[in-house]
Amino acid sequence: MLPYPSGKLHMGHVRNYAIGDALARYMWMRGFNVLHPMGWDAFGLPAENAALKAGREPREWTLTNIAHMKAQMQRLGFAIDWNREIATCDPEYYRWNQWFFVKMFERGLAYRKEALLNWCPECGTVLANEQVVNGCCWRHETTPVEQRAMQQWFLKITDYAGELLDALNDLENGWPERVVAMQRNWIGRSEGAEVDFPATNSDEKIRVFTTRIDTIYGATALILAPEHPLVAQLITDDESRLRVKEMIDASARQDPGSVEKVGLFTGKHATHPFHGGQIPIWVGNFVLLGYGTGAIMAVPAHDERDFEFCRAYGIPVVAVIRPQDGELGDGATMAEPFLEYGIVENSGEWSGLPSAEARRKMSAYAKAQGFGEPSITYRIKDWGISRQRYWGTPIPIIYCPKCGAVPVPEQDLPVLLPQNVKITGKGRSPLEAVPEFMNVSCPQCGTAAKRESDTMDTFIDSSWYFYRYCDPHNNTAPFDSNVIAYWFPIDQYIGGITHAILHLIYSRFWTKVMRDLGLVSNNEPAKNLFTQGMVLMGGTAMSKSKGNVVDPDVMVARYGADTCRLYTLFAAPPEKDMDWNESSVDGQFRFLKRVYTFVTRNLDRAGEGDADAGRKALRKLHQTIRKVTNDFDSRWHFNTSIASLMELTNTLYQYEAGLSCVVAREVCTNLILMLAPFAPYTAQELWIASGNNGPVFRQPWPAIDPELAKEDLAEIPVQVNGKLRAHLQAPFGTPNEDLQSLALSLDKVKAFVDGKQIVKVIVVPDKLINLVVK
RNA sequence: GCCCGGGUGGCGAAAUCGGCAGACGCAAAGGACUUAAAAUCCUUUUUCGCGCAAGCGGAGUGCGGGUUCAAGUCCCGCCCCGGGCACCA
C-alpha cells in the first residue's frame, strides 16, 4: 500500500508543516528508518532589506532569523533529526557551492555572456526567467521587471532540457499531474528544422527556425526580430532605425499578447534556398529574439500570425498545403490560413507528399545541401545565476587582464563574504565597494586582478541542500556518495506548488549534473512529490519570501503547539489551499481537553464493566484504527483521520460508565498511540501518565482486529424506485431472497409497493435493497 | 487561445470502487450546572410544505441534457472561480 520500499523513508523539503511531521512519526511507529531533516535557507533578500532598515549586519540578521525559525519549530515539537540540519549560509556550504560552480565552469556548463536580463528595480538585482511572474518580480508582484543588458553568469540548463523533459514521463507516477504539466509547458520542446536564407548582395545568411518546413514553398517573406543583430546592418537610414527602436521599446512596455503587429520592410531581399526566388526581408515586432533563431520565414497561407501580418502589409499569400481530401486554397482570396497537416502542393519535387513525410525529407535535403538541418528548440533558457546582492555565495571567479576569467583554485575555497559591507540596493553588487575583497592577484600568472563581485542566486543553495544534510559535516567532499546511495532518491518530497517551475526544475537539473560528475547514481532527486496547498490570508498566498507568514507563536502561547498543529491538519485536506481563519481552532483545543480528561480520569478505573458497552467501545476503536491507518497509507487526508479520532472520543464518552478496567486501558492506550503523530506533546504526556516509558512515537502502531471492528448486524437501506423509504437490520451474509422478503414486510415499504407490480429487485448483499415497482 | 485544478448547508469540510448526501468541527439558537461569568455537559441546526407533536411528504451537490434499478461521483454540452503557459514560428 505504501509507495515506499520497506525499511526507509527519506522525506525532503519538509518545512514548518505538520503534514510531513505526522507522516514521519507514523512511519517511525511502523518501524521505518526515517530521514526527517531540515535545511535552512539563507533567504537572502528579505533579510538583507530588513537588516538595511534596522541598520544591522545582514549576516547577523539572517542568523537571528534562522535561530528564531529553529526555536519555533522546536516549540511546535517537530521530530526533526537535528544532527542533520544544515544552514545554506554556512561557509562550508559556500565552499561546496563554489566547488560545484568551478566544476561546471571547467565543463563549459557555466559561462558568462552579455544579455538582456530581467531586472527588478525593487530588489536591485537581475532575476532568472523562472523568477519573473506576470512580468513582475516573484517577490514584488506589482513591480514590473525591466530589461537590462548586463554581463552575467549562466548555467547551461538547456543542455539538459531534453532529458529534463523526457524524464517527466517516469515521474508521472509519483508526481502530481499539474506539476508535470507545468514543467512540460515550461521546457517547451518544438521539433523542426533550421534553414539558411542567404541575403542577396551580401555574405550574411539569415537562419530561421520552423516546425513546418513542409510549408517552405509558401514562404513569401523573412521576418527578423527587432533586436536581431542583422537588423542594424540591413537598415541604413535613420528614420527606419528610429522605428525599430520604437518597436523594441513598445514591446518592452506592453503585455506581449496584446501588442498590435507592426512591421518594417528593410528594402533588402534574400534568396529562397529551395526554389531560388527572391523574398523580401522584414522586421516584425511579433518575432521573438529569444526563441529559435530570432528570425522566421513567413508562411501566411499556413500560419495565423504570418497571415495577419502579411495581409496587413500586402505581402503575397501562397498556399502550398491542401487538406487530405480537399482542394488547395487560393492565397489571394482565402479568408483564413489553413493550419493543419495535409498534402504538399506547388513545391517542386516534394509536391504530393503528406506533410509529415515532407518535413523529414525536406530537412534531410537541407542538411545534404548544407543550408540547414533538423533541429529541436526549447523554450527554457539557460539559468542566469548572477545577483547584485550582498547575500549569497560569492561567484568564485577572478578576472585577470591576461588570462581572462580564472576560477578560484580549490584550495582557496571558500571565497567568503566580507563583513561590514554597506548595502545600498543601488544596482551594483555591494561587494564592489570593498577593495580588500575585490583586489587579488591572478591565481595563474600573479598579475593584479579583480574578483567577480556578484553572488549566486540562492536557488543554487536549495538545489542540493537535501543531499548535503545526509552528510552535513563532511569537509572533504560535498557529501559521501555511499551515504547518498542509501538515502536517494528521496522517497517522499513535500513542498509548495509555488516551486513547480523554480526549485523543482533547478534541483532536477542539479541532480543530473552531479550524476554526470560521478557523485550520485540517481537520475532524479525525488520519486514521489506531494504539493501541499498554499496557506492564504485574505486571498493572497503566504510565503516566506514575501514575509507575510503568520507567526504561530501567538497561537502556541494561547492553546499550545498540539492545538496549533491539529488546527492546520484539520482545516482541509493537505493538497488544498486553505484560508487562514482561526475561528475553528477552539474545536481542536476542546478535543484535546476531552481526550486528556477521558484518559486521566480512567487511569485508576477498576471493575468488570458492562459487556455490551465494552464491545461497542472496542468496535469503534478498531474501526478508527482502520480508518486512520488507511488515511496514512493512501492519501494523507488527516482532516478525516482527526475527525474519526473525535468520533472515537465521543463514543468513549457515551460508553464510559460501562467500561471495564481492561477495556478502558485498551482504548486509552490506542487512542494515545493514534494521537501521537498529530498531537505529540499531549500524546507523550498521557503516555507517561498511563505508566509507560520512552518516546511514544517509537511504539509500534496499533494493529487492526477485523473481528472486533465488525458490526453485529448490517444496516441495510431499502429503496423503492431509487428513493430511500426504510432501513432494516439483518445479519451479515443474509441471502438475497430473505432480505427481499424482510424488506417487503416493512410497513413503510408496503405503503409504496401495495397495489403496484414489482418489476425488478436489486439487492447488493449487506449493502442495499432497491425495489423497482410500476 | 492552450494545459491543469475546483464549484456540496451560514462557514471549513465529509461521502476513498456508481449504492442512505452533509460525517467531524466552527458559528448560531435553546437548555442543565452556577449568585454570575468562564469552563463543562445536553439538545436543535440543508431547505420548502403539512402537523400541537412523534412524524409525513417534496426539492436539493454551479447550469442543461444523457446513461443506469440507482449519479455529488460516469458521458455530452455550457457557466463561473483559481492556477500555469501564451505572438514559441
Side-chain angles (χ1 to χ4, degrees), chain A residues 178 211 261 291 305 379 571 590 594 627 635 646 727 770:
Chain A
R178 70 172 161 158
T211 55
K261 288 186 180 43
Y291 190 75
R305 296 147 302 169
R379 215 193 66 94
R590 263 174 233 150
R594 279 166 67 79
K627 167 75 183 147
R635 50 177 204 168
M646 288 172 168
H727 284 100
N770 189 9

Tab-separated table of all heavy atoms in Angstrom, chain A residues 178 211 261 291 305 379 571 590 594 627 635 646 727 770, chain B residues 4 12-13 15-16 20 24 26 41 69 86-89:
chain	number	residue	atom	x	y	z
A	178	ARG	N	-0.248	18.105	-12.361
A	178	ARG	CA	-0.170	19.506	-12.759
A	178	ARG	C	1.258	20.031	-12.722
A	178	ARG	O	1.624	20.885	-13.510
A	178	ARG	CB	-1.106	20.382	-11.933
A	178	ARG	CG	-0.737	20.584	-10.515
A	178	ARG	CD	-1.652	21.622	-9.880
A	178	ARG	NE	-1.609	21.505	-8.448
A	178	ARG	CZ	-1.937	22.469	-7.622
A	178	ARG	NH1	-2.339	23.621	-8.094
A	178	ARG	NH2	-1.873	22.276	-6.330
A	211	THR	N	8.894	24.784	-37.545
A	211	THR	CA	8.393	23.430	-37.284
A	211	THR	C	7.690	22.898	-38.530
A	211	THR	O	7.256	21.771	-38.552
A	211	THR	CB	7.395	23.412	-36.112
A	211	THR	OG1	6.359	24.349	-36.387
A	211	THR	CG2	8.063	23.750	-34.816
A	261	LYS	N	0.468	43.886	-34.317
A	261	LYS	CA	1.618	43.500	-35.133
A	261	LYS	C	2.052	44.681	-36.013
A	261	LYS	O	1.277	45.241	-36.765
A	261	LYS	CB	1.255	42.321	-36.013
A	261	LYS	CG	1.113	41.042	-35.217
A	261	LYS	CD	0.908	39.851	-36.110
A	261	LYS	CE	0.777	38.610	-35.266
A	261	LYS	NZ	-0.065	38.775	-34.083
A	291	TYR	N	13.541	33.162	-28.966
A	291	TYR	CA	13.070	31.823	-29.296
A	291	TYR	C	13.582	31.424	-30.667
A	291	TYR	O	13.538	32.222	-31.610
A	291	TYR	CB	11.543	31.772	-29.287
A	291	TYR	CG	11.024	30.362	-29.392
A	291	TYR	CD1	11.089	29.501	-28.299
A	291	TYR	CD2	10.530	29.873	-30.583
A	291	TYR	CE1	10.655	28.196	-28.396
A	291	TYR	CE2	10.089	28.573	-30.693
A	291	TYR	CZ	10.164	27.736	-29.592
A	291	TYR	OH	9.730	26.440	-29.691
A	305	ARG	N	-0.349	34.029	-37.448
A	305	ARG	CA	0.315	35.318	-37.232
A	305	ARG	C	0.887	35.865	-38.520
A	305	ARG	O	0.782	37.046	-38.818
A	305	ARG	CB	1.405	35.140	-36.177
A	305	ARG	CG	0.844	34.750	-34.837
A	305	ARG	CD	1.792	33.853	-34.098
A	305	ARG	NE	2.076	32.642	-34.871
A	305	ARG	CZ	3.005	31.770	-34.593
A	305	ARG	NH1	3.795	31.976	-33.584
A	305	ARG	NH2	3.181	30.697	-35.322
A	379	ARG	N	11.938	26.043	-25.105
A	379	ARG	CA	11.507	27.335	-24.604
A	379	ARG	C	12.351	27.762	-23.404
A	379	ARG	O	12.547	28.940	-23.149
A	379	ARG	CB	10.037	27.220	-24.176
A	379	ARG	CG	9.180	28.454	-24.398
A	379	ARG	CD	7.881	28.285	-23.644
A	379	ARG	NE	8.136	28.274	-22.215
A	379	ARG	CZ	8.073	29.346	-21.447
A	379	ARG	NH1	7.712	30.482	-21.960
A	379	ARG	NH2	8.348	29.267	-20.168
A	571	ALA	N	-8.168	21.577	9.126
A	571	ALA	CA	-8.910	22.586	8.363
A	571	ALA	C	-9.271	22.118	6.956
A	571	ALA	O	-10.347	22.417	6.459
A	571	ALA	CB	-8.099	23.871	8.290
A	590	ARG	N	-10.740	22.013	22.427
A	590	ARG	CA	-11.745	21.229	23.161
A	590	ARG	C	-11.513	19.738	23.017
A	590	ARG	O	-11.609	18.984	23.971
A	590	ARG	CB	-13.145	21.564	22.626
A	590	ARG	CG	-13.862	22.588	23.456
A	590	ARG	CD	-15.159	22.988	22.801
A	590	ARG	NE	-15.201	24.430	22.683
A	590	ARG	CZ	-15.827	25.107	21.743
A	590	ARG	NH1	-16.492	24.468	20.797
A	590	ARG	NH2	-15.815	26.405	21.741
A	594	ARG	N	-10.864	17.021	25.870
A	594	ARG	CA	-11.749	15.857	26.079
A	594	ARG	C	-10.934	14.563	26.148
A	594	ARG	O	-11.215	13.688	26.973
A	594	ARG	CB	-12.791	15.770	24.958
A	594	ARG	CG	-13.984	16.701	25.177
A	594	ARG	CD	-14.814	16.850	23.915
A	594	ARG	NE	-15.495	15.630	23.497
A	594	ARG	CZ	-16.631	15.162	24.040
A	594	ARG	NH1	-17.209	15.826	25.022
A	594	ARG	NH2	-17.172	14.056	23.603
A	627	LYS	N	-9.460	3.230	9.926
A	627	LYS	CA	-9.634	4.493	9.198
A	627	LYS	C	-8.332	5.324	9.177
A	627	LYS	O	-7.893	5.810	8.131
A	627	LYS	CB	-10.777	5.265	9.870
A	627	LYS	CG	-10.892	6.719	9.461
A	627	LYS	CD	-11.492	6.853	8.084
A	627	LYS	CE	-11.525	8.312	7.668
A	627	LYS	NZ	-11.326	8.421	6.220
A	635	ARG	N	-3.736	8.520	1.332
A	635	ARG	CA	-3.923	9.854	0.765
A	635	ARG	C	-3.699	11.007	1.730
A	635	ARG	O	-3.861	12.155	1.350
A	635	ARG	CB	-5.326	9.957	0.198
A	635	ARG	CG	-6.359	9.488	1.215
A	635	ARG	CD	-7.764	9.636	0.734
A	635	ARG	NE	-8.614	9.720	1.904
A	635	ARG	CZ	-9.869	10.085	1.880
A	635	ARG	NH1	-10.424	10.424	0.749
A	635	ARG	NH2	-10.571	10.129	2.991
A	646	MET	N	-12.035	12.031	16.766
A	646	MET	CA	-13.068	12.754	17.520
A	646	MET	C	-14.305	11.874	17.706
A	646	MET	O	-14.888	11.831	18.785
A	646	MET	CB	-13.465	14.024	16.771
A	646	MET	CG	-12.406	15.107	16.801
A	646	MET	SD	-12.860	16.462	15.717
A	646	MET	CE	-11.664	17.688	16.242
A	727	HIS	N	-35.215	1.415	6.587
A	727	HIS	CA	-33.997	0.667	6.884
A	727	HIS	C	-34.387	-0.668	7.473
A	727	HIS	O	-35.425	-0.790	8.112
A	727	HIS	CB	-33.154	1.414	7.917
A	727	HIS	CG	-32.443	2.584	7.333
A	727	HIS	ND1	-32.902	3.865	7.471
A	727	HIS	CD2	-31.293	2.679	6.616
A	727	HIS	CE1	-32.059	4.692	6.861
A	727	HIS	NE2	-31.096	3.998	6.328
A	770	ASN	N	-33.064	-2.270	-3.525
A	770	ASN	CA	-33.858	-1.324	-4.302
A	770	ASN	C	-34.976	-2.085	-5.002
A	770	ASN	O	-34.727	-3.011	-5.773
A	770	ASN	CB	-32.967	-0.613	-5.326
A	770	ASN	CG	-33.690	0.541	-6.003
A	770	ASN	OD1	-34.793	0.915	-5.591
A	770	ASN	ND2	-33.095	1.073	-7.041
B	4	C	P	-5.302	18.988	-19.664
B	4	C	OP1	-5.482	17.572	-20.004
B	4	C	OP2	-6.476	19.896	-19.568
B	4	C	O5'	-4.489	19.059	-18.310
B	4	C	C5'	-5.206	19.138	-17.128
B	4	C	C4'	-4.321	19.620	-16.011
B	4	C	O4'	-3.877	20.977	-16.278
B	4	C	C3'	-5.115	19.727	-14.723
B	4	C	O3'	-5.095	18.482	-14.058
B	4	C	C2'	-4.451	20.871	-13.983
B	4	C	O2'	-3.259	20.453	-13.361
B	4	C	C1'	-4.119	21.804	-15.150
B	4	C	N1	-5.229	22.734	-15.493
B	4	C	C2	-5.631	23.737	-14.592
B	4	C	O2	-5.058	23.826	-13.502
B	4	C	N3	-6.640	24.582	-14.933
B	4	C	C4	-7.230	24.465	-16.117
B	4	C	N4	-8.213	25.327	-16.411
B	4	C	C5	-6.856	23.467	-17.051
B	4	C	C6	-5.863	22.634	-16.699
B	12	G	P	-16.615	27.769	3.183
B	12	G	OP1	-15.795	28.366	2.127
B	12	G	OP2	-17.779	26.928	2.827
B	12	G	O5'	-15.667	26.888	4.109
B	12	G	C5'	-14.457	27.450	4.594
B	12	G	C4'	-13.710	26.432	5.413
B	12	G	O4'	-14.469	26.123	6.610
B	12	G	C3'	-13.535	25.074	4.760
B	12	G	O3'	-12.488	25.090	3.811
B	12	G	C2'	-13.228	24.206	5.972
B	12	G	O2'	-11.909	24.431	6.430
B	12	G	C1'	-14.218	24.780	6.991
B	12	G	N9	-15.474	24.031	6.977
B	12	G	C8	-16.612	24.337	6.280
B	12	G	N7	-17.569	23.478	6.445
B	12	G	C5	-17.041	22.532	7.311
B	12	G	C6	-17.611	21.356	7.861
B	12	G	O6	-18.744	20.898	7.681
B	12	G	N1	-16.722	20.687	8.693
B	12	G	C2	-15.444	21.096	8.962
B	12	G	N2	-14.735	20.319	9.770
B	12	G	N3	-14.891	22.194	8.464
B	12	G	C4	-15.744	22.853	7.654
B	13	A	P	-12.577	24.178	2.550
B	13	A	OP1	-11.335	24.405	1.798
B	13	A	OP2	-13.904	24.307	1.906
B	13	A	O5'	-12.455	22.731	3.229
B	13	A	C5'	-13.173	21.614	2.719
B	13	A	C4'	-13.479	20.731	3.883
B	13	A	O4'	-14.570	21.315	4.641
B	13	A	C3'	-13.962	19.333	3.513
B	13	A	O3'	-12.837	18.471	3.379
B	13	A	C2'	-14.840	18.956	4.690
B	13	A	O2'	-14.073	18.545	5.798
B	13	A	C1'	-15.488	20.305	5.021
B	13	A	N9	-16.750	20.549	4.308
B	13	A	C8	-17.012	21.523	3.383
B	13	A	N7	-18.239	21.498	2.930
B	13	A	C5	-18.826	20.441	3.603
B	13	A	C6	-20.115	19.887	3.569
B	13	A	N6	-21.098	20.357	2.798
B	13	A	N1	-20.366	18.827	4.361
B	13	A	C2	-19.390	18.357	5.137
B	13	A	N3	-18.130	18.791	5.264
B	13	A	C4	-17.911	19.841	4.455
B	15	A	P	-13.946	11.872	2.080
B	15	A	OP1	-12.971	10.813	2.374
B	15	A	OP2	-13.660	12.898	1.060
B	15	A	O5'	-15.334	11.191	1.694
B	15	A	C5'	-15.805	10.084	2.426
B	15	A	C4'	-17.189	9.730	1.967
B	15	A	O4'	-18.086	10.836	2.217
B	15	A	C3'	-17.331	9.480	0.472
B	15	A	O3'	-16.914	8.173	0.146
B	15	A	C2'	-18.815	9.687	0.268
B	15	A	O2'	-19.547	8.569	0.713
B	15	A	C1'	-19.085	10.854	1.221
B	15	A	N9	-19.037	12.146	0.521
B	15	A	C8	-17.978	13.007	0.390
B	15	A	N7	-18.247	14.092	-0.295
B	15	A	C5	-19.584	13.930	-0.638
B	15	A	C6	-20.483	14.718	-1.365
B	15	A	N6	-20.159	15.892	-1.900
B	15	A	N1	-21.748	14.261	-1.527
B	15	A	C2	-22.073	13.086	-0.992
B	15	A	N3	-21.327	12.256	-0.286
B	15	A	C4	-20.080	12.736	-0.140
B	16	U	P	-16.431	7.821	-1.285
B	16	U	OP1	-17.143	8.672	-2.249
B	16	U	OP2	-16.501	6.363	-1.379
B	16	U	O5'	-14.904	8.306	-1.222
B	16	U	C5'	-14.176	8.578	-2.415
B	16	U	C4'	-12.950	7.693	-2.512
B	16	U	O4'	-12.166	7.798	-1.290
B	16	U	C3'	-13.258	6.208	-2.691
B	16	U	O3'	-12.287	5.641	-3.560
B	16	U	C2'	-13.042	5.626	-1.286
B	16	U	O2'	-12.615	4.262	-1.293
B	16	U	C1'	-11.915	6.519	-0.780
B	16	U	N1	-11.877	6.628	0.684
B	16	U	C2	-10.788	6.095	1.353
B	16	U	O2	-9.870	5.541	0.781
B	16	U	N3	-10.805	6.235	2.706
B	16	U	C4	-11.790	6.839	3.454
B	16	U	O4	-11.662	6.899	4.669
B	16	U	C5	-12.870	7.380	2.697
B	16	U	C6	-12.886	7.247	1.371
B	20	C	P	-25.149	5.695	-0.596
B	20	C	OP1	-25.239	6.842	-1.505
B	20	C	OP2	-24.038	5.588	0.368
B	20	C	O5'	-26.494	5.561	0.216
B	20	C	C5'	-27.757	5.665	-0.442
B	20	C	C4'	-28.728	6.309	0.517
B	20	C	O4'	-28.857	5.454	1.683
B	20	C	C3'	-28.260	7.664	1.045
B	20	C	O3'	-29.397	8.496	1.240
B	20	C	C2'	-27.625	7.331	2.378
B	20	C	O2'	-27.661	8.391	3.289
B	20	C	C1'	-28.541	6.190	2.837
B	20	C	N1	-27.882	5.302	3.796
B	20	C	C2	-28.437	5.166	5.060
B	20	C	O2	-29.474	5.788	5.324
B	20	C	N3	-27.830	4.373	5.951
B	20	C	C4	-26.719	3.735	5.625
B	20	C	N4	-26.151	2.968	6.547
B	20	C	C5	-26.117	3.858	4.344
B	20	C	C6	-26.733	4.650	3.460
B	24	C	P	-20.898	13.341	13.506
B	24	C	OP1	-21.009	12.462	14.682
B	24	C	OP2	-21.892	14.412	13.282
B	24	C	O5'	-19.461	14.018	13.479
B	24	C	C5'	-18.303	13.273	13.835
B	24	C	C4'	-17.066	14.126	13.633
B	24	C	O4'	-16.878	14.370	12.208
B	24	C	C3'	-17.141	15.525	14.222
B	24	C	O3'	-16.868	15.525	15.611
B	24	C	C2'	-16.087	16.254	13.403
B	24	C	O2'	-14.786	15.896	13.812
B	24	C	C1'	-16.348	15.672	12.018
B	24	C	N1	-17.328	16.482	11.266
B	24	C	C2	-16.882	17.641	10.598
B	24	C	O2	-15.685	17.941	10.672
B	24	C	N3	-17.772	18.385	9.918
B	24	C	C4	-19.057	18.027	9.883
B	24	C	N4	-19.897	18.799	9.198
B	24	C	C5	-19.540	16.868	10.551
B	24	C	C6	-18.652	16.127	11.224
B	26	C	P	-16.710	22.571	17.687
B	26	C	OP1	-16.094	22.936	18.967
B	26	C	OP2	-18.095	22.081	17.642
B	26	C	O5'	-16.612	23.822	16.699
B	26	C	C5'	-15.418	24.570	16.592
B	26	C	C4'	-15.590	25.668	15.571
B	26	C	O4'	-16.039	25.101	14.321
B	26	C	C3'	-16.680	26.681	15.907
B	26	C	O3'	-16.224	27.639	16.846
B	26	C	C2'	-16.938	27.277	14.538
B	26	C	O2'	-15.911	28.173	14.158
B	26	C	C1'	-16.872	26.034	13.653
B	26	C	N1	-18.205	25.433	13.426
B	26	C	C2	-19.072	26.070	12.529
B	26	C	O2	-18.697	27.115	11.982
B	26	C	N3	-20.298	25.548	12.302
B	26	C	C4	-20.663	24.424	12.908
B	26	C	N4	-21.883	23.948	12.635
B	26	C	C5	-19.804	23.747	13.833
B	26	C	C6	-18.585	24.286	14.054
B	41	C	P	-17.689	18.829	27.228
B	41	C	OP1	-16.950	17.643	26.756
B	41	C	OP2	-17.840	20.002	26.348
B	41	C	O5'	-19.150	18.377	27.694
B	41	C	C5'	-19.306	17.275	28.575
B	41	C	C4'	-20.724	17.222	29.068
B	41	C	O4'	-21.027	18.428	29.818
B	41	C	C3'	-21.782	17.211	27.987
B	41	C	O3'	-21.953	15.927	27.421
B	41	C	C2'	-23.006	17.678	28.765
B	41	C	O2'	-23.521	16.657	29.587
B	41	C	C1'	-22.393	18.769	29.645
B	41	C	N1	-22.485	20.108	29.028
B	41	C	C2	-23.711	20.799	29.120
B	41	C	O2	-24.660	20.252	29.699
B	41	C	N3	-23.825	22.019	28.573
B	41	C	C4	-22.783	22.571	27.942
B	41	C	N4	-22.947	23.782	27.426
B	41	C	C5	-21.535	21.894	27.832
B	41	C	C6	-21.429	20.674	28.385
B	69	C	P	-31.730	0.020	-15.936
B	69	C	OP1	-31.788	-1.445	-15.980
B	69	C	OP2	-32.413	0.850	-16.955
B	69	C	O5'	-32.230	0.511	-14.505
B	69	C	C5'	-33.627	0.494	-14.217
B	69	C	C4'	-33.820	0.718	-12.740
B	69	C	O4'	-33.324	-0.442	-12.020
B	69	C	C3'	-33.037	1.871	-12.146
B	69	C	O3'	-33.704	3.100	-12.329
B	69	C	C2'	-32.953	1.484	-10.674
B	69	C	O2'	-34.155	1.735	-9.995
B	69	C	C1'	-32.771	-0.038	-10.780
B	69	C	N1	-31.342	-0.440	-10.761
B	69	C	C2	-30.640	-0.361	-9.547
B	69	C	O2	-31.224	0.081	-8.552
B	69	C	N3	-29.350	-0.739	-9.497
B	69	C	C4	-28.758	-1.207	-10.601
B	69	C	N4	-27.488	-1.564	-10.491
B	69	C	C5	-29.442	-1.290	-11.846
B	69	C	C6	-30.720	-0.914	-11.883
B	86	A	P	5.112	32.278	-20.778
B	86	A	OP1	6.502	32.456	-21.218
B	86	A	OP2	4.589	33.040	-19.631
B	86	A	O5'	4.143	32.587	-21.993
B	86	A	C5'	4.414	32.026	-23.257
B	86	A	C4'	3.199	32.125	-24.122
B	86	A	O4'	2.004	31.740	-23.411
B	86	A	C3'	2.837	33.523	-24.609
B	86	A	O3'	3.726	33.963	-25.603
B	86	A	C2'	1.426	33.269	-25.126
B	86	A	O2'	1.440	32.545	-26.330
B	86	A	C1'	0.879	32.361	-24.012
B	86	A	N9	0.167	33.187	-23.020
B	86	A	C8	0.574	33.569	-21.773
B	86	A	N7	-0.290	34.339	-21.150
B	86	A	C5	-1.330	34.482	-22.066
B	86	A	C6	-2.550	35.174	-22.021
B	86	A	N6	-2.948	35.885	-20.977
B	86	A	N1	-3.348	35.099	-23.097
B	86	A	C2	-2.942	34.377	-24.164
B	86	A	N3	-1.818	33.684	-24.322
B	86	A	C4	-1.058	33.775	-23.223
B	87	C	P	3.622	35.477	-26.087
B	87	C	OP1	4.907	36.147	-25.949
B	87	C	OP2	2.445	35.967	-25.358
B	87	C	O5'	3.249	35.337	-27.630
B	87	C	C5'	2.013	34.788	-28.038
B	87	C	C4'	1.999	34.647	-29.534
B	87	C	O4'	1.675	35.941	-30.092
B	87	C	C3'	3.340	34.208	-30.132
B	87	C	O3'	3.112	33.389	-31.260
B	87	C	C2'	3.959	35.516	-30.577
B	87	C	O2'	4.800	35.364	-31.689
B	87	C	C1'	2.719	36.309	-30.985
B	87	C	N1	2.832	37.748	-30.877
B	87	C	C2	2.007	38.508	-31.707
B	87	C	O2	1.223	37.920	-32.473
B	87	C	N3	2.074	39.843	-31.639
B	87	C	C4	2.917	40.419	-30.787
B	87	C	N4	2.947	41.727	-30.738
B	87	C	C5	3.782	39.659	-29.933
B	87	C	C6	3.700	38.337	-30.015
B	88	C	P	2.821	31.825	-30.945
B	88	C	OP1	2.410	31.251	-32.226
B	88	C	OP2	2.014	31.660	-29.741
B	88	C	O5'	4.287	31.287	-30.598
B	88	C	C5'	5.226	31.022	-31.652
B	88	C	C4'	6.128	29.883	-31.220
B	88	C	O4'	7.109	30.415	-30.310
B	88	C	C3'	5.360	28.795	-30.454
B	88	C	O3'	5.558	27.490	-30.948
B	88	C	C2'	5.725	29.008	-28.972
B	88	C	O2'	5.844	27.852	-28.237
B	88	C	C1'	7.058	29.769	-29.050
B	88	C	N1	7.148	30.792	-28.001
B	88	C	C2	8.116	30.667	-26.990
B	88	C	O2	8.876	29.702	-27.012
B	88	C	N3	8.185	31.606	-26.027
B	88	C	C4	7.349	32.643	-26.037
B	88	C	N4	7.450	33.549	-25.077
B	88	C	C5	6.372	32.784	-27.034
B	88	C	C6	6.298	31.837	-27.984
B	89	A	P	6.041	26.645	-31.769
B	89	A	OP1	5.356	25.369	-31.792
B	89	A	OP2	7.429	26.771	-31.348
B	89	A	O5'	5.865	27.209	-33.243
B	89	A	C5'	6.850	26.937	-34.188
B	89	A	C4'	6.725	27.891	-35.335
B	89	A	O4'	6.570	29.233	-34.805
B	89	A	C3'	7.936	28.016	-36.246
B	89	A	O3'	7.975	26.969	-37.199
B	89	A	C2'	7.729	29.366	-36.885
B	89	A	O2'	6.765	29.298	-37.901
B	89	A	C1'	7.175	30.160	-35.704
B	89	A	N9	8.236	30.892	-34.993
B	89	A	C8	9.520	30.514	-34.740
B	89	A	N7	10.226	31.407	-34.083
B	89	A	C5	9.336	32.454	-33.902
B	89	A	C6	9.458	33.702	-33.294
B	89	A	N6	10.579	34.131	-32.724
B	89	A	N1	8.373	34.508	-33.292
B	89	A	C2	7.264	34.078	-33.860
B	89	A	N3	7.014	32.920	-34.468
B	89	A	C4	8.104	32.148	-34.460
